[in-house]
Amino acid sequence: MDDEYVEAVLTLVERIPPGRAMAYGAIAEVIGAQLRRGGPRMVGAVMASFGAAVPWWRVVTANGRLPPGNEVAARRHLAAEGTPMSVDGDRVDMRRAAWRPDGP
DNA sequence: ACCTTGACCTTGG
DNA sequence: CCCAAGGCCAAGG
C-alpha cells in the first residue's frame, strides 16, 4: 500500500477516543469508502509496521480480541483508560466500546 | 499469470 | 475453545 493509504489509517486510529476501540474491519470500511481500496488485512498490515506511532491498543479484532504479540501492554493501556472489557478481561467489549468517526 | 502469506471476518462443526 | 472453509486485498517470488 502507498503512503496515502497508510496515512489515512493512522489518522483515523489517532481519532479513536480513549476508552473506545475500533475493529480492523470497521477501519477498513471507513478507509475503503473514501479511497476505494483496502480491506481488513490491509489495515492489519499497516498496523503491523506503523502502528507503534499511534494508540494501537484501541485497534482490536471484530470479536474484541487484542492484537497478537502485545496483549500484555494492550491490557495495561486499556485498563488505564477504563475501556469496557469482557468478564475475563481478555477481550474488549465491542458492544459498548465500538466507536465510529461520526457518532460518539 | 500462479501461488503463498498475512496484527482479518463470518459461519459452522 | 480449537479448527476449517470461503471470501477478502495487496505484496512478493
Side-chain angles (χ1 to χ4, degrees):
Chain A
M1 62 291 241
D2 54 33
D3 292 357
E4 182 185 30
Y5 187 82
V6 174
E7 191 50 37
V9 173
L10 297 182
T11 300
L12 178 54
V13 173
E14 283 178 331
R15 292 187 48 201
I16 305 175
R20 310 299 296 282
M22 268 189 95
Y24 295 93
I27 293 174
E29 282 180 21
V30 176
I31 303 301
Q34 53 186 55
L35 297 187
R36 307 286 163 174
R37 57 187 151 128
R41 314 197 70 127
M42 292 302 98
V43 174
V46 171
M47 291 310 285
S49 14
F50 310 97
V54 295
W56 53 267
W57 57 90
R58 302 190 190 139
V59 181
V60 299
T61 67
N63 49 42
R65 186 140 279 134
L66 310 182
N70 305 64
E71 292 91 346
V72 194
R75 269 200 295 275
R76 185 166 53 68
H77 282 291
L78 294 168
E81 299 181 351
T83 307
M85 303 293 288
S86 61
V87 183
D88 50 29
D90 284 339
R91 299 177 306 99
V92 169
D93 182 347
M94 288 309 275
R95 298 233 285 192
R96 293 189 295 159
W99 178 82
R100 286 175 304 152
D102 44 303

